[in-house]
Amino acid sequence: MLLLNEDEVRQVLTMEMALEAVEQGLRKMALDEAHNIPRGRVQTDHAMLHVMSAAAKSLGYMGAKVYSTSRKTGARFLLPLFDGKTGALVCLMQADYLGQMRTGAASGVATKYMALPDATEVGIYGSGKQARTQVQAVCRVRRVRQVQVYSRTEENRRTFAAEMSELCQTEVVPVPRPEMAAEKKDIIITATSSREPVLNGHWLAEGAHINAVGSNFLGKAELDTEAVRRCAVVVVDSKDQARIEAGDFQQPLEDGSLRWADVRELGQVIVGRYPARRHPQDVTLFKSLGIAIEDVAVAARVYSRAQAEGVGKILEW
């Protein structure tokens, strides 16, 4: 068994790898070549355990992401990867960075298929770890001219802008008002921990594409009802998981602004079963929950690369 810690995963995993792997995993989902189990949760008075799993025979692997969260220690992520033929445990890797990269890559894949081809202006809400990989991924699939970032703390958004300008080799600018990160933007990303909406639908320009990634609890929403109502196309990574986690959809479903029958899965868009948009002026939405097939597909690439490069520690099991 190969053991990989966070630093070793970071050493071998690139955004290009993550983008390719996530697109492959979602494609296999759409073609019924993969099996994905939505996230389940159990908890004590002090901590919560989250478990999600997936398998794809043509990938050659199956696996699960298991992580705990608590107010005192934050989150701790682990991914066991199993051989799809023998069932042997072949790799055990820490998966915090992997999760950040696969979440960014999912938005990158959605942007590739759903955003306007000439999209250049990006706005992002949030300046944490998830926001960083969101900008990286979007800059890989579109020729981004400028990113404007808004978050509640001025120092955080200034630090984010400086770091991401250098990392992505594009102009990233902090903005002092939330509407500035949405108005006249081709691509809008919400990657916050907010329980209340941060994106007002009245700020959206025609033709905008939204990647909403921050909420995966029914009691949290980053988008207001007007933002969802304005979307001509609404896409998720998994409808099964969205039904139990997409807090952004709760109010729109209740007031009739959204119907489950109109929600599509990103894999179905990738394989051409449904259009990404019908008209250039359409506003489109990718509601990302983060699903296990994305993690397993990326983990398989990490395992293969680590083996080839001699990274990690071999343990007898």
Side-chain angles (χ1 to χ4, degrees), residues 7-57:
D7 288 340
E8 290 160 342
V9 171
R10 188 181 292 268
Q11 180 180 335
V12 300
L13 177 57
T14 67
M15 182 54 74
E16 287 77 11
M17 286 170 58
L19 285 164
E20 292 174 2
V22 167
E23 182 169 347
Q24 181 186 33
L26 293 172
R27 182 184 296 275
K28 292 184 181 300
M29 281 270 291
L31 297 175
D32 294 324
E33 296 176 3
H35 188 201
N36 185 84
I37 302 297
R39 186 175 8 241
R41 294 180 170 100
V42 294
Q43 65 184 71
T44 66
D45 291 340
H46 304 287
M48 183 176 290
L49 183 68
H50 316 248
V51 182
M52 51 207 292
S53 59
K57 58 184 179 182

Side-chain angles (χ1 to χ4, degrees), residues 66-136:
V66 181
Y67 62 103
S68 64
T69 54
S70 72
R71 291 183 178 178
K72 287 188 177 181
T73 60
R76 296 171 176 173
F77 299 85
L78 192 65
L79 195 151
L81 190 68
F82 299 85
D83 186 285
K85 291 183 179 179
T86 67
L89 177 63
V90 295
C91 186
L92 190 62
M93 65 183 74
Q94 292 183 311
D96 186 4
Y97 184 68
L98 184 147
Q100 295 168 40
M101 291 289 277
R102 75 89 156 100
T103 304
S107 291
V109 173
T111 301
K112 173 183 172 180
Y113 283 91
M114 300 180 69
L116 291 170
D118 59 352
T120 59
E121 300 294 323
V122 177
I124 184 165
Y125 294 83
S127 55
K129 293 187 294 185
Q130 293 289 359
R132 283 166 164 75
T133 56
Q134 292 292 312
V135 173
Q136 285 179 258

